[in-house]
Amino acid sequence: MDAPTNYRFSTLAIHSHQASDPETGAVIIPIYETSTFEQEDAGKHKGYDYSRSGNPTRRALEGCLADLEGGAYGLCFASGLGALTTVSMALFKPGDHILCGDDVYGGTYRFFDKVFRPLGIDVSFIDFTAPEEVQRHIKPNTKALYLETPTNPLLKLVDIQAMVAIAKEHNLLTILDNTFASPYLQKGISIGVDIVLHSTTKYIGGHSDVVGGALILKDDTYFQPLRFYQNSLGATPDPFASWLTLRGLKTLAIRMKAHEANAMALAQFLESHPGVENVIYPGLSSHPQHALAKKQMSGFGGMISVRIKGGLEEARTFMKSLKLFTLAESLGGVESLVEHPALMTHASVEPHIRKAIGITDNLVRMSVGIEDIEDLKQDMAQALEKTTKIAQPQ
Ligand code: P1T
């Protein structure tokens, strides 16, 4: 069936760019596992010539993601960082300056700080929760605002509308990493963001079985250069990865509702537990930006960060004692994961910077899955009991 864009989110996720195969009637987009395509005459083909440049399975995913974000184009990549490096190489040049949030995925920080900066592109990491700070750091050569919201791992909220207003005033490009919210909970393009970035490895794929990334473009302003760099840099996903991602994407709406319901219940449970110093979850009224979360998101998502009472030893004990939560990097899959930002996802951020922004040694990040909430609570309770014994020896 065809999917006009006036269909709603869940319908688009299942049908957009996924019509039945006209030749065979196959209901599901095939995995076009081919590296190349026959040409009728040199340079004359049916729209595809080589799978790095384009592949029908990937094309379906790109189109569907564009519709879900309310954008004009989607471009997919072999990873979220593949999307980041491609957009960065395509749109910035030596001498440019980028303002980036100070709490972003460690790999994003590493790319900007350790790879891009030595190439002559200046990057400042600023507290994006304070729009006046962002204003203050704009220089004549500033070209873009790079924001992540909610942030990884501290779940801070960045006011997208305020950032878009600043960008308009100073003629800057806005790039929003929407990985933590997913297009189901937050739509940057309708607020005026130019480019949305995803690690599709996370909620979009949803099953911890495939790595990928995407860029969704508001309009055609940057389509040609990004398409050119996508093909020229070559960080494209293979057909099977595209297919797995598209298959996961179909259930994004119901998964996000289930992630959120579990995360909210668990956050409330943890907030009342004596073994926990503080709980960071945008859905709690104790979150300093709860009102902003309500304004710009249609739900609060499935990520929780907690500070365990004590220090590194207690955090380690807590994580090792969990039975249902797997100790692993990544997030957004149906299974619950737990990780230690300082030692794992944000190890590439220098200790003094981690300290300054609040990535403490007792900070633990949880990706709450869609298992039964009672089992998740019980798991937390037994792990905290073991941890509390360490924290308060009798
Ligand atoms: O891992 P990859 O698909 O390359 O995506 C990178 C990336 C980009 N943006 C955000 C907000 C991310 O969280 C990530 C990857 N993050 C993890 C692996 C993690 O455990 O936080």
Side-chain angles (χ1 to χ4, degrees):
M1 88 178 252
D2 251 1
T5 44
N6 60 357
Y7 280 137
R8 292 164 186 82
F9 191 94
S10 310
T11 312
L12 289 173
I14 294 165
H15 294 291
S16 162
H17 291 79
Q18 297 167 76
S20 302
D21 182 35
E23 212 155 289
T24 63
V27 168
I28 296 301
I29 292 284
I31 306 167
Y32 285 93
E33 197 65 71
T34 182
S35 58
T36 191
F37 299 82
E38 184 182 8
Q39 308 202 2
E40 226 172 277
D41 197 356
K44 195 168 170 213
H45 53 73
K46 298 183 170 70
Y48 297 98
D49 58 356
Y50 187 62
S51 271
R52 169 170 31 74
S53 316
N55 177 284
T57 317
R58 184 176 103 206
R59 185 61 215 124
L61 175 63
E62 293 178 330
C64 185
L65 282 172
D67 282 350
L68 292 180
E69 281 284 0
Y73 299 97
L75 294 167
C76 283
F77 298 87
S79 67
L81 285 187
L84 173 67
T85 54
T86 304
V87 70
S88 302
M89 296 292 283
L91 303 186
F92 306 115
K93 57 181 189 320
D96 287 349
H97 174 236
I98 300 168
L99 283 175
C100 179
D102 63 359
D103 184 40
V104 289
Y105 168 55
T108 300
Y109 173 83
R110 182 179 55 204
F111 169 72
F112 280 141
D113 189 53
K114 307 281 185 314
V115 179
F116 222 31
R117 228 185 224 151
L119 295 178
I121 297 94
D122 187 15
V123 187
S124 306
F125 298 93
I126 305 299
D127 179 3
F128 269 26
T129 64
E132 60 286 1
E133 271 297 282
V134 178
Q135 287 270 18
R136 208 165 63 75
H137 284 86
I138 293 173
K139 303 198 252 185
N141 59 341
T142 305
K143 289 287 169 350
L145 303 181
Y146 189 92
L147 47 137
E148 211 181 271
T149 182
T151 64
N152 183 359
L154 292 167
L155 303 172
K156 292 197 264 182
L157 273 283
V158 177
D159 188 333
I160 302 173
Q161 201 173 10
M163 293 299 138
V164 166
I166 294 173
K168 283 218 170 95
E169 191 189 329
H170 297 272
N171 199 22
L172 310 177
L173 175 75
T174 42
I175 305 175
L176 163 70
D177 184 332
N178 203 23
T179 300
F180 268 38
S182 89
Y184 184 64
L185 298 182
Q186 182 167 272
K187 289 195 179 50
I189 285 174
S190 63
I191 307 177
V193 165
D194 296 301
I195 299 174
V196 170
L197 181 148
H198 279 284
S199 167
T200 57
T201 317
K202 312 296 165 14
Y203 288 108
I204 286 175
H207 296 75
S208 305
D209 54 8
V210 60
V211 172
L215 297 173
I216 319 300
L217 318 184
K218 180 171 71 178
D219 52 34
D220 59 8
T221 314
Y222 302 104
F223 178 64
Q224 290 307 338
L226 287 170
R227 179 77 197 80
F228 176 81
Y229 271 79
Q230 179 194 38
N231 188 38
S232 303
L233 296 182
T236 50
D238 65 68
F240 186 46
S242 302
W243 186 87
L244 273 176
T245 309
L246 193 58
R247 174 182 152 125
L249 181 57
K250 286 175 187 280
T251 55
L252 180 64
I254 54 169
R255 283 188 285 107
M256 289 315 292
K257 285 181 204 159
H259 281 296
E260 182 182 0
N262 276 359
M264 180 63 105
L266 207 60
Q268 285 165 345
F269 169 79
L270 290 167
E271 203 167 41
S272 64
H273 197 288
V276 175
E277 186 182 298
N278 77 311
V279 181
I280 309 171
Y281 180 64
L284 292 175
S285 52
S286 59
H287 190 289
Q289 296 163 299
H290 179 58
L292 178 57
K294 276 205 281 197
K295 185 183 135 204
Q296 72 182 19
M297 300 175 77
S298 59
F300 306 110
M303 299 300 295
I304 302 178
S305 288
V306 292
R307 292 199 177 83
I308 301 294
K309 251 186 210 155
L312 182 59
E313 200 195 339
E314 285 75 16
R316 277 190 199 277
T317 305
F318 171 69
M319 292 185 297
K320 277 196 296 194
S321 306
L322 287 164
K323 296 189 169 104
L324 254 182
F325 282 75
T326 305
L327 178 57
E329 300 208 6
S330 203
L331 59 115
V334 291
E335 54 287 298
S336 294
L337 302 180
V338 64
E339 71 105 13
H340 191 266
L343 294 177
M344 294 167 68
T345 50
H346 292 70
S348 55
V349 179
E350 292 77 4
H352 72 278
I353 297 177
R354 287 203 304 262
K355 195 170 169 220
I357 65 173
I359 304 179
T360 52
D361 282 352
N362 63 345
L363 184 79
V364 170
R365 190 193 74 184
M366 289 178 275
S367 172
V368 182
I370 62 171
E371 299 94 337
D372 191 289
I373 184 61
E374 292 311 317
D375 292 330
L376 295 180
K377 274 196 217 163
Q378 265 175 30
D379 195 30
M380 285 283 139
Q382 64 80 23
L384 282 167
E385 199 183 323
K386 290 189 183 115
T387 312
T388 315
K389 275 185 195 144
I390 291 230
Q392 296 158 357
Q394 299 302 309

